[in-house]
Amino acid sequence: MTKQLTVAIVGATGAVGTKMKEQLLKRNFPIKDIKFLASAKSAGKEIEFGGKTYKIEEATPEAFEGVDVALFSAGGSVSAKLAPEAVKRGAVVIDNTSHFRMDPDVPLVVPEVNREDLKKHNGIIANPNCSTIQMVVALQPIREKFGLKRVIVSTYQAVSGSGISAIEELRVQSGEWEKGKDVEAKVLPVKSEPKHYPIARNVIPQIDVFTENGFTKEEMKMINETKKIMHLPDLEVAATCVRVPVVAGHSESVYIEVEKEASVQELFDVLKDAPGVVLQDDINNQVYPMPIFVEDEDPVYVGRIRKDLNHPKGFHLWIVADNLLKGAALNSIQIAEAMLEDNLL
Amino acid sequence: MTKQLTVAIVGATGAVGTKMKEQLLKRNFPIKDIKFLASAKSAGKEIEFGGKTYKIEEATPEAFEGVDVALFSAGGSVSAKLAPEAVKRGAVVIDNTSHFRMDPDVPLVVPEVNREDLKKHNGIIANPNCSTIQMVVALQPIREKFGLKRVIVSTYQAVSGSGISAIEELRVQSGEWEKGKDVEAKVLPVKSEPKHYPIARNVIPQIDVFTENGFTKEEMKMINETKKIMHLPDLEVAATCVRVPVVAGHSESVYIEVEKEASVQELFDVLKDAPGVVLQDDINNQVYPMPIFVEDEDPVYVGRIRKDLNHPKGFHLWIVADNLLKGAALNSIQIAEAMLEDNLL
């Protein structure tokens, strides 16, 4: 990887954008030049990167001239407007928003699962939803060996998935122990929705807005994106997405049904060597994944693997990963790295 | 209900015992006399009840002389030793520990579900596990109309289920925001186990100790007790039990498969008139159950009811209740009330 690239980050001051900066440095991404783009309001502000100070530029179509790869994480409407402009000017866009994910012309990629799809790109590659990424990384090695028929997931999602203001809300509320349900809530579950609920000492069974069928958008993302990434349009997927008072690290209680009978030991065997996965399952020593210990860690951790007591092809798993890293920033950079290696950049 | 009874509480200073005292007063339970029993260590201490001060007596076999109903909540070994002694002396025991629950001679009762089983008692009635009670209260009305074939539950359980010391641990850790994973942990997940993990900003996929098959005891309680209470030995039940940083109120993400096809509206219809249930499902107005709002409330709240997108007999539900009330103290007192009404006391 000697090729040096000009990189742009759109939305560099957000929770995911900050992690993208860290990952580019930590992974020694071959950067020739880097630009930080934002709305007119933030343009002119200064931002640190690798010991140097940069001025944030306004994200206009022209700002993408000369950019090789543009990492977008500034909301769906920004991507909708500017990603095509970046592509028009020769950039490859890796978009962390949901805007293009289900577009049949846009590959939706988790390199451990469907790296081959990168070859079919038309300038834009979508980075999947955080909860979806960690689940498919863990399920793909099982699917390869035993097939996959059904998935039922209940999530325990960290507030960082809702941005820096949600982390701050949890911090403030956590200090106001005596106030209980009377703490002030302005951000969660969804900033733009009329009602807000406390997250400290609470769990909220709403992430993103509701859709017609009673599932939330977050739940439908898990359902639809899983099928697209795994190329399993007939996979039966159901999701219940819940916000919990955790800063970083999404956890998932996942029930699966595979196609071929398997044992817990066989699942251990495929997972312990699987790319991007750490098997953390030693109940005799109370070893299982927990979100507080995965913050700033790259892998997807899997544990609590049990065979269903009634269905010989049914298994229960507990999957945890840092939602801002493998769930967002890290996966985006891994997409860029894979494209470089495969001469797609 | 004019009959007046002599009541004993064993374990009155614990999290559940305290709520039992409150419930007896709040529900005007017909008390002729009340005694508070504990270990020799606590005997002689004073305890308040209904504006009067009582001396705690040592829980010896003889202390149950003259007692009509004894409410036990002081750990399985205390119940094992003293419940038979209380019965020998003419008391009816309502036991909140797990010790007798799966004994075929002991009814395991949630009055809304299997009140009839009280008639078969031999002196001891077992109060089920907290997470099980709220689930069967919500599922029974559905089962009566549509049958029930399968249940897969993932729980979000409050720390109060682990006692007063666990609530205190969460309180202290919540104030130590900057320490993150380095806060001191001494109680959770299981006090007697070698390893303890922080609960603030974390979720822990272990409640109670592990069993041979990889499920925890808490998970096996939900599986076995549900079948016994509902008289459905062949019901397919699976559970994943997780501790979350919530003080009071267990939440459950539950997938069910019924026997007869049904619509979401039909489930609404049976649940809105079901005993002990409050239907709280109006997603257009962001109305769904949350633990912080059920503290000190009697009912079991049900919301987020959705039809599975692949299985016409599959439904997803979100069930929340105060684990110390309907999950423990309230259900125990309701058992005593039902026995009084049915002339079993």
Side-chain angles (χ1 to χ4, degrees):
Chain A
M1 272 207 252
T2 48
K3 196 173 170 186
Q4 302 282 305
L5 300 173
T6 296
V7 177
I9 300 186
V10 187
T13 58
V16 173
T18 304
K19 295 288 179 184
M20 283 175 167
K21 282 167 52 190
E22 285 175 23
Q23 289 293 314
L24 287 171
L25 289 168
K26 189 176 164 194
R27 300 176 71 85
N28 280 315
F29 193 81
I31 295 173
K32 184 167 70 188
D33 194 14
I34 188 161
K35 341 173 101 174
F36 298 99
L37 306 178
S39 62
K41 206 177 67 184
S42 295
K45 288 186 186 162
E46 292 186 334
I47 190 165
E48 299 289 318
F49 180 76
K52 284 200 269 184
T53 302
Y54 293 78
K55 268 224 162 72
I56 296 179
E57 296 172 47
E58 187 180 348
T60 59
E62 297 71 31
F64 293 96
E65 294 287 353
V67 169
D68 297 306
V69 56
L71 304 166
F72 275 72
S73 186
S77 58
V78 174
S79 293
K81 200 178 134 203
L82 289 175
E85 297 292 342
V87 172
K88 222 184 276 176
R89 287 164 179 83
V92 165
V93 168
I94 300 171
D95 181 29
N96 193 54
T97 77
S98 64
H99 187 77
F100 295 102
R101 286 184 192 149
M102 296 310 296
D103 185 327
D105 289 332
V106 173
L108 181 67
V109 177
V110 179
E112 293 89 338
V113 182
N114 61 333
R115 179 176 178 150
E116 288 302 302
D117 287 348
L118 291 170
K119 293 183 181 146
K120 293 175 272 176
H121 85 88
N122 296 307
I124 302 175
I125 295 98
N127 191 70
N129 173 264
C130 46
S131 358
T132 310
I133 294 177
Q134 67 182 68
M135 187 168 81
V136 298
V137 167
L139 297 188
Q140 177 68 9
I142 298 170
R143 173 259 186 112
E144 281 172 1
K145 185 114 186 220
F146 303 104
L148 189 61
K149 190 179 174 299
R150 187 170 198 187
V151 179
I152 301 174
V153 54
S154 296
T155 70
Y156 303 66
Q157 292 183 233
V159 298
S160 56
S162 232
I164 290 169
S165 59
I167 300 174
E168 180 60 13
E169 184 155 285
L170 173 58
R171 189 189 68 76
V172 171
Q173 290 177 355
S174 296
E176 299 183 332
W177 180 267
E178 71 293 340
K179 287 196 193 167
K181 66 183 169 190
D182 299 321
V183 297
E184 193 183 27
K186 290 189 291 189
V187 179
L188 292 168
V190 182
K191 203 165 180 182
S192 61
E193 289 257 280
K195 290 187 189 164
H196 299 105
Y197 302 117
I199 185 62
R201 309 167 66 168
N202 198 23
V203 304
I204 306 177
Q206 180 188 1
I207 299 181
D208 212 331
V209 296
F210 287 98
T211 69
E212 284 292 308
N213 63 10
F215 288 79
T216 59
K217 265 198 185 172
E218 182 82 358
E219 290 160 356
M220 291 312 298
K221 285 176 194 172
M222 289 198 79
I223 292 167
N224 293 324
E225 294 181 20
T226 299
K227 297 179 191 185
K228 177 169 176 177
I229 299 164
M230 299 188 99
H231 293 276
L232 290 174
D234 297 327
L235 183 66
E236 297 165 7
V237 191
T240 299
C241 291
V242 181
R243 190 74 70 189
V244 297
V246 164
V247 175
H250 287 355
S251 306
E252 298 174 343
S253 171
V254 183
Y255 171 74
I256 59 168
E257 270 166 33
V258 295
E259 302 274 4
K260 279 185 267 183
E261 248 190 73
S263 67
V264 168
Q265 187 57 51
E266 287 175 301
L267 262 61
F268 281 177
D269 290 343
V270 294
L271 286 169
K272 76 176 172 356
D273 300 320
V277 172
V278 170
L279 179 66
Q280 210 169 51
D281 194 331
D282 175 9
I283 54 172
N284 293 323
N285 291 301
Q286 291 179 268
V287 172
Y288 34 70
M290 284 178 281
I292 207 167
F293 298 109
V294 311
E295 193 171 346
D296 288 324
E297 302 291 334
D298 290 354
V300 173
Y301 296 85
V302 186
R304 295 289 335 264
I305 302 174
R306 289 150 289 158
K307 192 161 195 162
D308 190 78
L309 301 176
N310 301 104
H311 291 257
K313 295 176 185 169
F315 292 89
H316 303 271
L317 304 90
W318 177 251
I319 302 168
V320 184
D322 187 327
N323 51 302
L324 296 182
L325 292 193
K326 188 57 191 172
L330 172 61
N331 196 67
S332 289
I333 309 301
Q334 286 172 325
I335 288 171
E337 289 171 349
M339 294 183 81
L340 257 177
E341 278 177 25
D342 298 348
N343 296 312
L344 297 165
L345 259 185
Chain B
M1 274 209 251
T2 48
K3 197 172 171 186
Q4 301 283 305
L5 300 174
T6 297
V7 177
I9 300 186
V10 187
T13 57
V16 174
T18 304
K19 295 288 180 184
M20 283 175 166
K21 282 167 53 190
E22 286 174 22
Q23 289 293 314
L24 287 171
L25 289 168
K26 189 177 162 193
R27 298 176 72 85
N28 281 315
F29 192 81
I31 297 173
K32 185 166 71 190
D33 195 12
I34 189 160
K35 338 174 102 174
F36 298 99
L37 306 178
S39 63
K41 207 178 65 183
S42 295
K45 286 185 188 164
E46 293 187 334
I47 189 166
E48 298 289 319
F49 179 76
K52 283 201 268 185
T53 304
Y54 292 78
K55 267 223 162 72
I56 295 178
E57 297 172 47
E58 187 180 349
T60 60
E62 296 71 32
F64 294 96
E65 294 287 353
V67 169
D68 297 307
V69 56
L71 304 166
F72 275 72
S73 186
S77 58
V78 174
S79 293
K81 201 178 131 203
L82 288 176
E85 298 291 342
V87 171
K88 222 186 274 174
R89 285 163 181 84
V92 165
V93 168
I94 300 170
D95 182 29
N96 193 55
T97 77
S98 65
H99 187 77
F100 295 103
R101 285 183 194 151
M102 295 312 294
D103 186 327
D105 289 332
V106 173
L108 181 67
V109 177
V110 179
E112 293 89 339
V113 181
N114 62 334
R115 178 176 179 151
E116 289 302 302
D117 287 349
L118 291 171
K119 293 183 180 147
K120 292 176 273 175
H121 86 87
N122 296 308
I124 302 174
I125 295 98
N127 192 70
N129 174 265
C130 46
S131 357
T132 310
I133 294 176
Q134 67 183 67
M135 188 169 80
V136 297
V137 167
L139 296 189
Q140 177 67 11
I142 298 170
R143 173 259 186 114
E144 282 173 1
K145 185 115 186 219
F146 303 105
L148 190 61
K149 189 178 175 298
R150 187 168 199 189
V151 179
I152 300 173
V153 53
S154 296
T155 70
Y156 303 67
Q157 293 183 232
V159 298
S160 56
S162 231
I164 290 168
S165 59
I167 300 174
E168 181 60 13
E169 185 155 284
L170 173 58
R171 188 189 69 76
V172 171
Q173 290 178 356
S174 295
E176 297 182 332
W177 179 267
E178 70 293 340
K179 287 195 191 165
K181 66 184 168 191
D182 299 321
V183 297
E184 193 183 28
K186 290 189 292 191
V187 178
L188 292 167
V190 182
K191 201 165 183 181
S192 61
E193 289 258 280
K195 290 187 190 163
H196 298 107
Y197 303 117
I199 185 63
R201 307 167 64 166
N202 197 22
V203 304
I204 307 178
Q206 180 188 0
I207 298 182
D208 211 331
V209 297
F210 287 98
T211 70
E212 284 293 307
N213 63 12
F215 288 80
T216 60
K217 265 198 183 170
E218 181 82 359
E219 290 159 357
M220 291 312 297
K221 285 176 194 170
M222 289 197 79
I223 292 167
N224 294 323
E225 294 181 19
T226 299
K227 295 179 192 185
K228 178 170 175 176
I229 300 164
M230 299 187 99
H231 294 274
L232 290 173
D234 298 326
L235 183 66
E236 299 167 6
V237 191
T240 299
C241 291
V242 181
R243 191 73 72 190
V244 297
V246 164
V247 176
H250 286 354
S251 307
E252 298 174 344
S253 170
V254 184
Y255 170 74
I256 59 169
E257 271 166 32
V258 295
E259 301 275 4
K260 278 184 268 183
E261 248 188 75
S263 68
V264 168
Q265 187 56 51
E266 285 175 302
L267 262 61
F268 280 177
D269 290 342
V270 295
L271 287 169
K272 77 176 173 357
D273 299 320
V277 172
V278 170
L279 180 66
Q280 210 168 53
D281 195 331
D282 176 11
I283 53 173
N284 294 322
N285 291 301
Q286 290 179 270
V287 172
Y288 35 69
M290 284 178 281
I292 208 167
F293 298 109
V294 310
E295 194 170 345
D296 289 323
E297 302 290 333
D298 290 354
V300 173
Y301 296 85
V302 186
R304 295 287 339 262
I305 303 174
R306 289 150 289 159
K307 192 161 197 163
D308 191 77
L309 300 176
N310 302 105
H311 291 257
K313 294 175 185 169
F315 292 89
H316 304 271
L317 302 89
W318 176 252
I319 302 170
V320 183
D322 187 327
N323 51 302
L324 295 183
L325 293 191
K326 187 57 190 171
L330 172 61
N331 195 65
S332 290
I333 310 300
Q334 286 172 325
I335 288 171
E337 288 171 349
M339 294 183 80
L340 256 177
E341 278 176 25
D342 297 349
N343 296 312
L344 297 166
L345 261 183

